[in-house]
Amino acid sequence: MRKLKAAVIGAGSTYTPELIRGFIDKRSSLDFQSFCLMDIDREKLDIVGGLAKRMLYSNWFKGEVVLTCDLDEAIKNADYIFAQIRVGCMQARIRDEKIPLKHGLLGQETTGAGGFMNALRTIPVMLDMARRIEKLAPDAWLINFTNPSGIVAEALMNHSKVKMVGLCNCFVNMKAGIAENIGREDFDYEYIGLNHLSWITSVTVDGENVLEKLGKSVGAKLKNIPDVDYDDELLAAVPAVPSYYLSYFYMRDQQLQKCLKAEKTRGEICVGIEDALIEKYRNPDLKDKPKELEERGGSLYSAAAITVVDAIENDKNEYHVVGVRNNGAIPFMADDDVVEIKCIVNRSGITPVAVKNTQNHFIKGLMQAVKAYEKLTVAAAVNGSRKDALAALMIHPLIGDFQKAKAVFDDMARANAEFLPKGLLP
């Protein structure tokens, strides 16, 4: 095995122990000899990094763990770079959730107006990171969990040369739900979509498609989404098993009302969870991720990241669902559209597998509309283009109204002025 260096960017995140646990669990097949944990918040980095060190050194690890606020130091000569940053911190996320509600729109960190503003803040920072990787670690793989993951991947895969994997834990949880439902793990599947806009269109067991027998139980309920159930008629109308984020599209009014009635936004809840986790992480006797981390969301996060790294590094030719340039895999999407589908993963890279079941006009229409939104959002972020920003909001299925688009954009742009180019400001 090669001796490897891992860089974790945004290592002050309370998620980091989940990732470290993944490294520990895969130590027999991935020989990481050096970890460089980087964050701009030195206090949180020291606390979370301290737990990371205790976890590593209480297990097999004998190498070096460096804590740094210097991005270049972290990236230099790394083999795998894990990005989990949040530009503007949790305060910006909370604004993303609250401001749209004032305009009668859903507020959420990855979709709609909230996800849009998150993207405008995040894309320039991630592109800067990509430029540094191109210079300081040109052979490295960037494993990205930074939200909104799909739009970030759309930007970097089309505006940089970095080798990138766009990851999400959504399918990993859905797959686990299928395995629990059918009582076995040896099944095939077809999965199609964009990040947080995806469907399972077939589940094959012993040559039989059992999708219709699975029903709504596979829709992977996640802690960061208000709890709703998919109606059987809804599933018959699609027909496919939707990821749970589709509830924002299928039941927008219901979800909006839940958000309006909630005492706290999900971001505000997460602040409380993170404060409690940080206090736990301070404990010098704590040497593993605490059970309370499950309340933060991100279930099976490390499994998604580390298994993909294992497949690349050890040339495993495994199937994984990741964000990738389409390159003909979905006939109704452009080659340079970043989609989330099944791919074959090995040392040569990430190769999308052609999707067979593409006659679903519902899926086709929604994917193309949201991809148009993503393309325009990337253009707005890269070029500082206000017209592209407004066009993006107008075409998004959760907005689609010029007066609302302009009002919410101006409100959010003023609140995020320190992160945006002047061309986007009202």
Side-chain angles (χ1 to χ4, degrees):
M1 291 188 290
R2 285 197 305 159
K3 297 187 183 305
L4 303 170
K5 174 186 175 180
V8 181
I9 313 302
S13 166
T14 54
Y15 280 132
T16 297
E18 173 79 20
L19 186 59
I20 296 298
R21 184 71 248 174
F23 290 127
I24 293 169
D25 292 343
K26 280 288 185 182
R27 61 187 180 274
S28 63
S29 58
L30 293 171
D31 189 12
F32 282 99
Q33 292 289 309
S34 174
F35 291 92
C36 196
L37 309 183
M38 181 270 165
D39 203 287
I40 60 173
D41 186 331
R42 186 72 211 199
E43 182 181 6
K44 286 187 71 176
L45 177 63
D46 286 340
I47 295 167
V48 180
L51 173 57
K53 284 183 175 182
R54 295 192 298 274
M55 290 175 67
L56 288 164
Y57 288 131
S58 65
N59 284 277
W60 93 108
F61 191 65
K62 304 295 183 184
E64 180 183 42
V65 181
V66 174
L67 309 185
T68 183
C69 294
D70 186 331
L71 180 58
D72 288 351
E73 179 184 4
I75 289 172
K76 188 175 182 180
N77 298 325
D79 297 290
Y80 293 94
I81 299 163
F82 301 82
Q84 50 181 23
I85 68 172
R86 187 183 295 279
V87 180
C89 303
M90 290 299 290
Q91 292 74 23
R93 172 180 176 170
I94 293 168
R95 290 196 300 269
D96 291 345
E97 294 168 334
K98 286 187 169 182
I99 294 175
L101 295 177
K102 298 177 183 178
H103 300 271
L105 299 169
L106 277 164
Q108 211 275 334
E109 68 163 332
T110 62
T111 193
F116 166 78
M117 186 52 63
N118 189 9
L120 292 188
R121 288 193 306 269
T122 304
I123 288 171
V125 177
M126 290 299 299
L127 282 172
D128 174 68
M129 186 188 302
R131 300 284 179 261
R132 294 167 188 253
I133 293 170
E134 289 171 358
K135 294 178 181 178
L136 300 171
D139 295 324
W141 279 94
L142 172 61
I143 314 297
N144 181 61
F145 266 100
T146 299
N147 276 324
S149 179
I151 305 180
V152 169
E154 178 72 36
L156 268 63
M157 289 184 186
N158 286 303
H159 293 273
S160 80
K161 297 177 182 178
V162 69
K163 296 190 296 184
M164 180 184 180
V165 181
L167 278 185
C168 179
N169 66 335
C170 190
F171 172 73
V172 178
N173 281 278
M174 292 180 77
K175 188 178 180 182
I178 294 171
E180 182 179 356
N181 187 294
I182 65 177
R184 56 194 287 183
E185 296 185 1
D186 56 331
F187 58 88
D188 197 10
Y189 59 88
E190 191 153 84
Y191 182 94
I192 185 172
L194 311 177
N195 181 239
H196 290 183
L197 190 96
S198 55
W199 299 261
I200 294 173
T201 55
S202 72
V203 175
T204 305
V205 179
D206 296 332
E208 178 190 4
N209 185 359
V210 299
L211 186 73
E212 292 185 5
K213 300 177 183 179
L214 297 177
K216 58 190 175 185
S217 61
V218 182
K221 294 183 180 181
L222 301 173
K223 293 185 181 297
N224 54 335
I225 300 177
D227 199 17
V228 296
D229 282 322
Y230 287 136
D231 185 272
D232 288 335
E233 277 197 302
L234 184 158
L235 297 176
V238 173
V241 177
S243 65
Y244 220 66
Y245 277 91
L246 266 298
S247 65
Y248 287 118
F249 294 82
Y250 295 161
M251 305 167 188
R252 69 185 73 180
D253 291 340
Q254 183 179 341
Q255 290 286 40
L256 174 60
Q257 290 305 312
K258 283 178 178 286
C259 291
L260 287 168
K261 292 175 182 177
E263 291 185 12
K264 293 182 178 181
T265 70
R266 177 61 187 172
E268 289 173 319
I269 293 169
C270 287
V271 168
I273 295 171
E274 290 195 342
D275 288 347
L277 285 170
I278 288 294
E279 284 305 307
K280 283 195 167 290
Y281 292 178
R282 291 181 191 271
N283 181 358
D285 295 324
L286 183 66
K287 296 179 180 178
D288 204 351
K289 63 173 186 174
K291 184 172 178 56
E292 290 85 348
L293 181 54
E294 295 174 8
E295 295 301 313
R296 181 60 184 86
S299 176
L300 301 180
Y301 157 45
S302 68
I306 303 303
T307 55
V308 168
V309 170
D310 189 26
I312 294 171
E313 183 64 22
N314 293 305
D315 203 24
K316 287 196 166 183
N317 286 313
E318 289 179 341
Y319 290 117
H320 291 267
V321 169
V322 297
V324 65
R325 281 169 61 104
N326 181 47
N327 287 336
I330 304 174
F332 59 77
M333 302 297 286
D335 284 349
D336 66 350
D337 287 342
V338 173
V339 296
E340 192 171 274
I341 55 175
K342 182 196 288 188
C343 299
I344 190 76
V345 183
N346 53 37
R347 194 168 293 155
S348 298
I350 314 289
T351 305
V353 176
V355 179
K356 298 176 183 176
N357 184 13
T358 60
Q359 301 307 309
N360 189 314
H361 293 294
F362 180 93
I363 290 175
K364 176 181 178 179
L366 197 49
M367 279 184 67
Q368 289 180 334
V370 175
K371 178 52 65 177
Y373 150 78
E374 290 186 353
K375 294 280 194 184
L376 286 163
T377 301
V378 171
V382 171
N383 302 319
S385 168
R386 183 174 171 82
K387 65 179 180 64
D388 287 328
L390 286 170
L393 291 175
M394 287 163 59
I395 203 170
H396 197 294
L398 298 182
I399 303 164
D401 177 274
F402 174 71
Q403 295 299 332
K404 283 189 175 184
K406 183 178 186 303
V408 75
F409 177 46
D410 287 350
D411 225 359
M412 298 188 83
R414 281 188 287 264
N416 289 274
E418 64 182 294
F419 304 107
L420 304 180
K422 290 182 180 180
L424 292 175
L425 301 179

Coordinates of all heavy atoms in Angstrom, one line a residue, residues 306-351:
I306 N -15.1 7.3 2.6 CA -13.9 6.3 2.7 C -14.0 5.2 1.8 O -13.0 4.7 1.2 CB -13.8 5.9 4.2 CG1 -13.6 7.0 5.1 CG2 -12.5 5.0 4.3 CD1 -12.5 8.0 4.8
T307 N -15.3 4.7 1.5 CA -15.4 3.5 0.6 C -15.0 4.0 -0.8 O -14.5 3.2 -1.6 CB -16.8 2.9 0.7 OG1 -17.8 3.9 0.4 CG2 -17.1 2.3 2.0
V308 N -15.4 5.2 -1.2 CA -15.0 5.7 -2.5 C -13.5 5.8 -2.6 O -12.9 5.4 -3.6 CB -15.7 7.0 -2.8 CG1 -15.1 7.7 -4.1 CG2 -17.2 6.8 -3.1
V309 N -12.9 6.4 -1.6 CA -11.4 6.5 -1.6 C -10.8 5.1 -1.7 O -9.8 4.9 -2.4 CB -10.9 7.2 -0.3 CG1 -9.4 7.1 -0.2 CG2 -11.3 8.7 -0.3
D310 N -11.3 4.1 -1.0 CA -10.8 2.8 -1.0 C -10.9 2.2 -2.4 O -10.0 1.5 -2.9 CB -11.6 1.9 0.0 CG -11.0 0.5 0.2 OD1 -9.7 0.4 0.0 OD2 -11.7 -0.4 0.6
A311 N -12.0 2.5 -3.1 CA -12.2 1.9 -4.4 C -11.2 2.6 -5.4 O -10.7 1.9 -6.3 CB -13.6 2.2 -4.9
I312 N -10.9 3.9 -5.2 CA -10.0 4.5 -6.1 C -8.6 4.0 -5.8 O -7.8 3.6 -6.7 CB -10.0 6.1 -5.9 CG1 -11.3 6.6 -6.4 CG2 -8.8 6.7 -6.7 CD1 -11.5 8.1 -6.0
E313 N -8.2 4.1 -4.6 CA -6.8 3.7 -4.2 C -6.4 2.3 -4.5 O -5.3 2.0 -4.9 CB -6.6 4.1 -2.7 CG -5.2 3.8 -2.2 CD -4.2 4.8 -2.9 OE1 -4.5 5.8 -3.4 OE2 -3.0 4.4 -2.9
N314 N -7.4 1.4 -4.3 CA -7.1 -0.1 -4.4 C -7.7 -0.7 -5.7 O -7.8 -1.9 -5.8 CB -7.6 -0.8 -3.1 CG -6.8 -0.4 -1.9 OD1 -5.6 -0.5 -1.9 ND2 -7.5 0.1 -0.9
D315 N -8.1 0.2 -6.6 CA -8.5 -0.2 -8.0 C -9.6 -1.3 -7.9 O -9.5 -2.4 -8.5 CB -7.3 -0.8 -8.7 CG -7.5 -0.7 -10.2 OD1 -8.3 0.1 -10.7 OD2 -6.8 -1.5 -10.9
K316 N -10.7 -1.0 -7.1 CA -11.6 -2.1 -6.8 C -12.7 -2.3 -7.9 O -13.5 -3.3 -7.8 CB -12.3 -1.8 -5.5 CG -11.4 -2.0 -4.3 CD -12.1 -2.1 -3.0 CE -11.3 -2.6 -1.9 NZ -12.0 -2.8 -0.6
N317 N -12.9 -1.4 -8.8 CA -13.9 -1.5 -9.8 C -15.3 -1.7 -9.1 O -16.1 -2.6 -9.5 CB -13.6 -2.7 -10.7 CG -12.5 -2.4 -11.7 OD1 -12.6 -1.3 -12.4 ND2 -11.6 -3.3 -11.9
E318 N -15.6 -0.9 -8.2 CA -16.8 -1.0 -7.4 C -17.8 0.0 -8.0 O -17.5 1.1 -8.5 CB -16.6 -0.7 -5.9 CG -15.9 -1.8 -5.2 CD -15.7 -1.4 -3.7 OE1 -15.8 -0.2 -3.4 OE2 -15.4 -2.3 -2.9
Y319 N -19.1 -0.3 -7.7 CA -20.2 0.7 -8.1 C -20.4 1.6 -6.9 O -20.6 1.2 -5.7 CB -21.5 0.0 -8.4 CG -21.4 -0.8 -9.7 CD1 -21.5 -2.2 -9.8 CD2 -21.2 -0.1 -10.9 CE1 -21.5 -2.8 -11.0 CE2 -21.2 -0.7 -12.2 CZ -21.3 -2.1 -12.2 OH -21.3 -2.8 -13.4
H320 N -20.4 2.9 -7.2 CA -20.8 3.9 -6.1 C -21.7 5.0 -6.8 O -21.5 5.2 -8.0 CB -19.6 4.6 -5.6 CG -18.7 3.7 -4.7 ND1 -18.9 3.6 -3.4 CD2 -17.7 2.8 -5.1 CE1 -18.0 2.7 -2.9 NE2 -17.3 2.2 -3.9
V321 N -22.6 5.6 -6.0 CA -23.4 6.7 -6.5 C -22.7 8.0 -6.1 O -22.5 8.3 -4.9 CB -24.8 6.7 -6.0 CG1 -25.5 8.0 -6.3 CG2 -25.6 5.5 -6.6
V322 N -22.2 8.7 -7.1 CA -21.5 10.0 -6.8 C -21.9 11.0 -7.9 O -22.5 10.7 -8.9 CB -19.9 9.8 -6.9 CG1 -19.5 8.8 -5.8 CG2 -19.5 9.3 -8.3
G323 N -21.5 12.3 -7.6 CA -21.7 13.3 -8.6 C -20.6 13.2 -9.7 O -19.4 13.2 -9.3
V324 N -21.0 13.3 -10.9 CA -20.0 13.1 -12.0 C -20.5 13.8 -13.3 O -21.7 14.0 -13.4 CB -19.8 11.6 -12.3 CG1 -21.1 10.9 -12.8 CG2 -18.7 11.3 -13.2
R325 N -19.6 14.2 -14.2 CA -20.1 14.7 -15.5 C -20.8 13.6 -16.2 O -20.4 12.5 -16.3 CB -18.9 15.2 -16.3 CG -18.4 16.6 -15.8 CD -17.1 17.0 -16.4 NE -17.2 17.0 -17.9 CZ -17.2 18.2 -18.6 NH1 -17.1 19.3 -18.0 NH2 -17.2 18.1 -19.9
N326 N -21.9 14.0 -16.8 CA -22.8 13.0 -17.4 C -22.2 12.2 -18.5 O -22.3 10.9 -18.6 CB -24.1 13.7 -18.0 CG -25.1 12.8 -18.6 OD1 -25.4 11.8 -18.0 ND2 -25.5 13.2 -19.8
N327 N -21.5 12.8 -19.5 CA -20.8 12.2 -20.6 C -21.7 11.1 -21.2 O -21.2 10.0 -21.5 CB -19.5 11.6 -20.1 CG -18.5 12.6 -19.8 OD1 -18.5 13.7 -20.4 ND2 -17.5 12.4 -18.9
G328 N -22.9 11.4 -21.5 CA -23.8 10.5 -22.3 C -24.5 9.4 -21.5 O -25.3 8.7 -22.0
A329 N -24.3 9.4 -20.2 CA -24.9 8.3 -19.4 C -26.5 8.5 -19.3 O -27.2 7.5 -19.3 CB -24.3 8.3 -17.9
I330 N -26.9 9.7 -19.3 CA -28.3 10.0 -19.3 C -28.6 10.8 -20.6 O -28.2 11.9 -20.8 CB -28.8 10.9 -18.1 CG1 -28.4 10.2 -16.8 CG2 -30.3 11.2 -18.1 CD1 -28.7 11.1 -15.5
P331 N -29.3 10.2 -21.5 CA -29.4 10.7 -22.9 C -30.1 12.1 -22.9 O -29.7 12.9 -23.8 CB -30.3 9.7 -23.6 CG -30.2 8.5 -22.9 CD -29.9 8.8 -21.5
F332 N -31.0 12.4 -22.0 CA -31.6 13.7 -22.0 C -30.9 14.8 -21.3 O -31.4 16.0 -21.2 CB -33.1 13.6 -21.5 CG -33.2 13.1 -20.1 CD1 -33.0 14.0 -19.0 CD2 -33.7 11.8 -19.8 CE1 -33.1 13.5 -17.7 CE2 -33.8 11.4 -18.5 CZ -33.6 12.3 -17.5
M333 N -29.7 14.6 -20.8 CA -28.9 15.6 -20.1 C -27.6 15.8 -21.0 O -27.1 14.9 -21.7 CB -28.5 15.1 -18.7 CG -29.6 14.9 -17.8 SD -30.7 16.3 -17.4 CE -29.7 17.2 -16.3
A334 N -27.1 17.0 -20.9 CA -25.9 17.4 -21.6 C -24.7 16.7 -21.1 O -24.6 16.3 -19.9 CB -25.6 18.9 -21.6
D335 N -23.6 16.5 -21.9 CA -22.4 15.8 -21.5 C -21.7 16.5 -20.3 O -21.2 15.8 -19.4 CB -21.4 15.7 -22.6 CG -21.8 14.6 -23.6 OD1 -22.8 13.8 -23.4 OD2 -21.2 14.6 -24.7
D336 N -21.8 17.8 -20.2 CA -21.1 18.5 -19.1 C -22.0 18.8 -17.9 O -21.5 19.4 -17.0 CB -20.5 19.8 -19.6 CG -21.5 20.8 -20.1 OD1 -22.7 20.5 -20.2 OD2 -21.1 22.0 -20.3
D337 N -23.2 18.3 -18.0 CA -24.1 18.4 -16.8 C -23.5 17.4 -15.7 O -23.3 16.2 -16.0 CB -25.5 18.0 -17.1 CG -26.2 19.0 -17.9 OD1 -25.8 20.2 -18.0 OD2 -27.3 18.6 -18.5
V338 N -23.4 17.9 -14.5 CA -23.0 17.0 -13.4 C -24.3 16.4 -12.8 O -25.2 17.1 -12.4 CB -22.2 17.8 -12.3 CG1 -22.0 16.9 -11.1 CG2 -20.9 18.3 -12.8
V339 N -24.3 15.1 -12.9 CA -25.5 14.3 -12.4 C -25.0 13.4 -11.3 O -23.8 13.2 -11.0 CB -26.1 13.5 -13.6 CG1 -26.6 14.5 -14.6 CG2 -25.0 12.6 -14.2
E340 N -26.0 12.8 -10.6 CA -25.7 11.9 -9.5 C -26.3 10.5 -9.9 O -27.5 10.3 -9.8 CB -26.3 12.4 -8.2 CG -25.9 11.7 -6.9 CD -26.3 12.3 -5.7 OE1 -25.6 13.3 -5.2 OE2 -27.4 12.0 -5.1
I341 N -25.4 9.6 -10.3 CA -25.8 8.3 -10.7 C -24.8 7.3 -10.3 O -23.8 7.6 -9.8 CB -26.0 8.3 -12.3 CG1 -24.7 8.8 -13.0 CG2 -27.1 9.1 -12.7 CD1 -24.7 8.7 -14.5
K342 N -25.1 6.0 -10.7 CA -24.2 4.9 -10.4 C -23.0 5.1 -11.3 O -23.1 5.3 -12.5 CB -24.9 3.6 -10.6 CG -24.0 2.4 -10.3 CD -24.6 1.1 -11.0 CE -25.8 0.6 -10.3 NZ -26.2 -0.7 -10.8
C343 N -21.8 4.9 -10.7 CA -20.5 5.0 -11.4 C -19.7 3.8 -11.1 O -19.8 3.2 -10.0 CB -19.8 6.2 -11.1 SG -20.7 7.8 -11.5
I344 N -18.8 3.4 -12.0 CA -17.7 2.4 -11.7 C -16.5 3.2 -11.2 O -16.1 4.2 -11.9 CB -17.4 1.5 -12.9 CG1 -16.5 0.4 -12.5 CG2 -16.8 2.3 -14.0 CD1 -17.2 -0.7 -11.7
V345 N -16.0 2.8 -10.1 CA -14.9 3.6 -9.4 C -13.6 2.7 -9.3 O -13.7 1.6 -8.8 CB -15.3 4.1 -8.0 CG1 -14.2 4.9 -7.4 CG2 -16.6 4.9 -8.1
N346 N -12.5 3.2 -9.9 CA -11.3 2.4 -9.8 C -10.1 3.4 -9.8 O -10.3 4.6 -9.8 CB -11.2 1.4 -10.9 CG -11.4 2.0 -12.2 OD1 -11.0 3.1 -12.5 ND2 -12.1 1.2 -13.1
R347 N -8.9 2.9 -10.0 CA -7.7 3.8 -9.9 C -7.7 4.8 -11.1 O -7.1 5.8 -11.1 CB -6.5 2.9 -9.9 CG -5.2 3.7 -9.6 CD -4.0 2.8 -9.3 NE -4.3 2.0 -8.1 CZ -3.7 0.8 -7.9 NH1 -2.9 0.3 -8.8 NH2 -4.0 0.2 -6.7
S348 N -8.4 4.4 -12.2 CA -8.4 5.3 -13.4 C -9.4 6.4 -13.2 O -9.3 7.4 -13.9 CB -8.9 4.5 -14.6 OG -7.9 3.4 -14.9
G349 N -10.3 6.3 -12.2 CA -11.2 7.4 -11.9 C -12.6 7.0 -11.8 O -12.9 5.9 -11.3
I350 N -13.5 7.9 -12.1 CA -15.0 7.7 -11.9 C -15.6 7.7 -13.3 O -15.6 8.7 -14.1 CB -15.6 8.9 -11.1 CG1 -14.7 9.2 -9.9 CG2 -17.0 8.6 -10.7 CD1 -14.7 8.2 -8.8
T351 N -16.3 6.6 -13.6 CA -16.9 6.5 -14.9 C -18.4 6.2 -14.8 O -18.8 5.2 -14.2 CB -16.3 5.3 -15.7 OG1 -14.9 5.4 -15.8 CG2 -16.9 5.2 -17.1

